[in-house]
Each structure stands twice: as structure tokens, then as C-alpha cells.
Amino acid sequence: MHELAVTRTINAPIAHVWQIMTERLAEWWCPKPWTTEIVRLDRRAGGVSNIVMHGPNGEEHQTPGLILAWSEGHHFAFTDAIAPGLIPAEAFMIGIWAIEAEGDRTRYTAVARHWTEEAMQQHLEMGFHDGWSTVAEQLQSLCEQTAAEA
């Protein structure tokens, strides 16, 4: 498998992390100063996803796709291989975002699985580790800050 991953231990309970991951997705989904627009997110396997990332210089990155899995409180997975309307698209990856309880803390893992070695290398060259690590840090910070306020 052509897989890349990042993990973080978040100092917040799993239910809180799941809530932030899913209900406040736009706040952590892409590295700042980029912003995220959730056009559509059907929270179920087979549901449509359409997320747009906006760059600080007017860039726009559309990511329509299909939700492959949605296990409430545990994980969700998207692919860009199938566009809304069950239209085949040029496949780049399957993304999986999962959490596990570790006592009163939460282990967050984000995985990108690619069809080919070339696609995985392209993702590395695009800055996978920096980008996905930054996103994980943003999620961690948001979860820990809001957990402390609760």
C-alpha cells in the first residue's frame, strides 16, 4: 500500500475531539492562512462531500468526492476517485481520519492511501508531511483549547 500518515496525541477526551473534528471541520481542515468552505458533507457512507480550500492569494482547490466510511465517534474516510453523482474521477487518494481513546486523551491519525507509488511521491513533493502535520496541530490546538474552556 502506498500510504502516508500523521498522528498526534490530543489532551482531550475522544468525544470532544470527535465533536471538534466533525462539527468544526472548517476551522482545522487546511493549513492557515488557507480557509475551508464546506459546500456539502453528507455524514454517512456513500454520502457526497464537496470541500473547497481557498488560498490567501485567491487560489481555490475544489475537492469533490464520496464518503467511503463514517463511523460516528471513530473515523471517516473520503475519496476523490468518485465525484458527486457517482461520476468516476481521476483518483489521487483515499483519506482516512481516525481517533482512538488513550485514557483521558485521544490518538488522532490521518492517513492518505494512494493508488500508485507515483501518486504517493507527488503527495510527498506537494508537502504532505508539512501540510498534514500543520492541520493535525491546528486540530490539536483547537481541541485542547476548547476542552480547557469546558
Side-chain angles (χ1 to χ4, degrees):
M1 207 172 330
H2 309 290
E3 183 174 288
L4 302 170
V6 298
T7 63
R8 287 287 178 282
T9 300
I10 300 173
N11 191 20
I14 192 168
H16 183 76
V17 173
W18 180 258
Q19 178 188 12
I20 298 299
M21 279 178 66
T22 58
E23 293 178 17
R24 296 177 69 176
L25 189 84
E27 295 177 55
W28 64 270
W29 187 252
C30 61
K32 294 180 185 342
W34 284 66
T35 60
T36 303
E37 175 187 0
I38 309 297
V39 177
R40 184 169 176 185
L41 185 61
D42 298 336
R43 297 175 181 199
R44 61 180 175 80
V48 170
S49 69
N50 191 0
I51 298 171
V52 182
M53 294 179 283
H54 299 279
N57 299 313
E59 306 93 333
E60 185 175 286
H61 182 67
Q62 299 265 347
T63 55
L66 185 74
I67 298 173
L68 299 174
W70 191 281
S71 179
E72 195 68 29
H74 301 284
H75 69 270
F76 56 86
F78 294 66
T79 186
D80 58 356
I82 304 169
L86 299 177
I87 298 169
E90 187 172 330
F92 182 63
M93 70 170 207
I94 294 171
I96 305 163
W97 292 265
I99 55 175
E100 296 177 58
E102 289 187 350
D104 59 352
R105 299 168 69 179
T106 303
R107 166 71 59 181
Y108 162 83
T109 304
V111 176
R113 291 183 179 156
H114 304 84
W115 272 258
T116 66
E117 174 76 22
E118 293 78 21
M120 184 182 75
Q121 288 302 321
Q122 178 187 0
H123 207 175
L124 282 169
E125 291 167 11
M126 289 169 58
F128 170 83
H129 288 294
D130 287 342
W132 285 44
S133 292
T134 297
V135 166
E137 290 165 10
Q138 289 172 176
L139 174 63
Q140 180 180 6
S141 176
L142 184 59
C143 288
E144 291 176 355
Q145 177 187 359
T146 55
E149 294 169 356

